[in-house]
Amino acid sequence: AQVLNDLETGEFKLKETVKNLFIVGVGDSVMLGAANTLYAYFPNSYIDAQISRTAWVVNEILLNLKYRNMLGNVVVLNLGANGDCADWCKREIMNTLEGKKVFWINTTNDIYVNNNLVSFASNYNNLYIIDWYTISRGHYDYFFADGIHLTETGKQAYTSAIYEAIYKVYLDEYNKKRQDIINEYEEKQKTKISFYGNDILLNAFEYIQPEFEEAKFNIKKELSFDILKQELKTAKESDLLTYKIVFAFDSSISLSLDEYKELI
């Protein structure tokens, strides 16, 4: 419960956390044009963008940043508007960015480049495509006449698309952690056993307990149907009822078939 609560607290702060991440952006003139908007949205970011840049030259830039210890956990790439590069070129980039979360923005002017990027990204679980082509489609107010470079409105939408993509990945990680914790807890619960009984269980306790060291033993000398029913109800309401339950009591407790069914 404490771990889940910590995750809830972290998720509550996640929107601000993402904005304050150290994000490195490497791109072409599209990213260059939006640099001031990106810096305003992500104040801890570092942008390296240049007119007419292609992916062919990017690995050297990334290696230089890596050598200077200037690569954060999140790297955003905006490349492709000036042409594609071969898969081996992209592999070099991803090798340099191993262990990083890489967000690659696709183009609005080259479906061929976009399709190649989708195919390439399927080989990497740390590479996320920001589908700027689909997000911006039909929004003519985002672009100048060339359909590539951004107006002020476009810069805001472009930056927001980057933020939403990064936020979603971190949110998915939180949800996965949460579900993994719940699944682990439930699997552990399935192995637990509770014993309910009277004198006969007490007399056998020293023989049974060593074989079931983590089991719960609920022993009452004066045990009845009503007491047993109430104990089971209380355990269930408190989420303390185990998956496996053993009844061990002698004939001093006389239960009818209907009472057995009610307990079950």
Side-chain angles (χ1 to χ4, degrees):
Q2 183 59 52
V3 175
L4 289 176
N5 184 61
D6 290 344
L7 284 174
E8 293 287 348
T9 302
E11 184 182 327
F12 178 74
K13 299 176 180 177
L14 187 58
K15 289 184 181 292
E16 284 304 312
T17 300
V18 169
K19 287 184 179 181
N20 287 297
L21 289 172
F22 176 58
I23 294 171
V24 170
V26 177
D28 53 28
S29 56
V30 177
M31 181 176 280
L32 180 63
N36 287 338
T37 309
L38 287 166
Y39 279 127
Y41 216 84
F42 302 103
N44 297 321
S45 58
Y46 172 80
I47 307 299
D48 184 325
Q50 191 174 21
I51 295 171
S52 299
R53 178 176 282 166
T54 71
W56 290 103
V57 300
V58 165
N59 192 50
E60 288 300 317
I61 295 168
L62 294 171
L63 285 172
N64 183 262
L65 290 171
K66 190 174 184 178
Y67 177 76
R68 291 189 286 154
N69 199 28
M70 288 182 62
L71 283 181
N73 289 327
V74 176
V75 177
V76 179
L77 303 175
N78 193 154
L79 305 160
N82 300 301
D84 202 5
C85 78
D87 276 6
W88 65 262
C89 160
K90 296 191 190 80
R91 281 196 297 273
E92 282 189 341
I93 291 171
M94 292 306 298
N95 287 341
T96 300
L97 297 177
E98 184 178 4
K100 311 293 184 184
K101 290 180 174 66
V102 183
F103 296 83
W104 199 313
I105 304 167
N106 68 8
T107 75
T108 57
N109 66 319
D110 198 326
I111 298 297
Y112 174 78
V113 170
N114 292 350
N115 289 339
N116 284 348
L117 183 58
V118 170
S119 176
F120 178 77
S122 64
N123 299 306
Y124 296 89
N125 58 15
N126 66 323
L127 175 55
Y128 309 93
I129 297 174
I130 299 177
D131 191 3
W132 181 234
Y133 174 85
T134 300
I135 293 169
S136 64
R137 197 169 186 184
H139 290 277
Y140 303 109
D141 55 326
Y142 287 2
F143 303 101
F144 291 111
D146 61 5
I148 300 172
H149 295 93
L150 304 170
T151 63
E152 288 303 318
T153 302
K155 292 172 188 177
Q156 292 293 334
Y158 172 87
T159 302
S160 179
I162 293 172
Y163 168 81
E164 290 297 334
I166 297 171
Y167 174 75
K168 182 181 183 303
V169 168
Y170 276 87
L171 182 61
D172 287 346
E173 285 186 356
Y174 268 86
N175 289 332
K176 184 179 184 304
K177 285 178 185 176
R178 182 182 293 107
Q179 195 56 52
D180 286 346
I181 289 166
I182 292 170
N183 291 343
E184 182 183 352
Y185 172 78
E186 289 182 345
E187 287 302 312
K188 190 177 290 185
Q189 289 300 101
K190 289 178 182 178
T191 67
K192 292 184 176 179
I193 301 173
S194 291
F195 288 83
Y196 291 85
N198 62 1
D199 282 346
I200 195 169
L201 180 58
L202 179 61
N203 293 334
F205 179 78
E206 63 179 298
Y207 302 102
I208 298 174
Q209 195 275 337
E211 300 295 327
F212 301 94
E213 291 182 350
E214 295 186 7
K216 295 179 180 179
F217 287 85
N218 305 277
I219 303 172
K220 281 188 168 50
K221 192 172 183 68
E222 301 296 330
L223 191 62
S224 66
F225 166 74
D226 289 333
I227 292 173
L228 188 54
K229 180 181 175 182
Q230 185 57 48
E231 288 203 355
L232 292 170
K233 182 181 178 183
T234 301
K236 186 175 181 181
E237 289 174 349
S238 305
D239 199 26
L240 297 173
L241 195 63
T242 57
Y243 278 70
K244 298 175 183 177
I245 298 169
V246 177
F247 294 141
F249 40 78
D250 57 28
S251 58
S252 65
I253 302 177
S254 179
L255 296 183
S256 68
L257 180 58
D258 286 341
E259 287 173 329
Y260 267 117
K261 288 180 178 178
E262 191 172 341
L263 292 177
I264 299 305

